[in-house]
Amino acid sequence: HVQLVESGGGSVQAGGSLRLSCALSGVSNSPYCMGWFRQAPGKEREGVAGIESDGSTSYADSVKGRFTISKDNAKNTLFLQMTSLKPEDTAMYYCAEDRFACLKGPNSRLDRNEYRLWGQGTQVTVS
């Protein structure tokens, strides 16, 4: 069956870096739209970065210049390179995929309501 599995989370000191990975399995075609989201305790899930099949990307203002989203189409794997991490980046990070999520424009790449397939999440803690 189709599933997303995240990895790469962990604990890091402020200013450090982490690279998250998300493997998509159970599909025969490359995904059209994928994104990274995060949710801190007591807060809503928010969009962090999104990417379309043509490589177009969107980022939340809070991570621009620090995070980079990328993908390996051959391996159906999504990445999130996080640098200059701050304590406020602490959250559970989720990847998501949906064939139609990006159709409404760049902002839809970061809209959690546009995605139907979600991973289980990986915890990132910055102290």
Side-chain angles (χ1 to χ4, degrees):
H1 65 285
V2 181
Q3 65 175 355
L4 293 166
V5 178
E6 302 97 333
S7 62
S11 297
V12 63
Q13 291 188 336
S17 300
L18 281 175
R19 188 192 195 207
L20 305 183
S21 300
C22 172
L24 171 65
S25 61
V27 296
S28 57
N29 298 318
S30 294
Y32 183 77
C33 189
M34 298 189 75
W36 285 101
F37 294 77
R38 65 186 182 187
Q39 187 168 18
K43 295 188 177 181
E44 292 188 350
R45 190 171 299 188
E46 63 174 356
V48 174
I51 187 167
E52 297 189 30
S53 58
D54 65 358
S56 299
T57 58
S58 296
Y59 293 93
D61 288 342
S62 59
V63 306
K64 282 181 181 177
R66 301 189 297 122
F67 291 9
T68 303
I69 188 171
S70 62
K71 59 188 176 71
D72 182 333
N73 288 330
K75 297 181 179 180
N76 275 350
T77 302
L78 182 71
F79 302 100
L80 185 68
Q81 180 67 49
M82 304 185 294
T83 63
S84 301
L85 283 161
K86 305 175 181 179
E88 50 263 44
D89 294 318
T90 295
M92 184 71 78
Y93 282 71
Y94 300 89
C95 67
E97 185 274 339
D98 195 286
R99 181 171 180 79
F100 305 105
C102 296
L103 294 182
K104 297 180 181 178
N107 289 339
S108 68
R109 299 171 192 151
L110 303 182
D111 185 345
R112 67 181 187 272
N113 296 313
E114 297 293 332
Y115 290 85
R116 289 172 289 179
L117 180 65
W118 292 85
Q120 294 299 308
T122 186
Q123 178 67 37
V124 172
T125 302
V126 185
S127 59

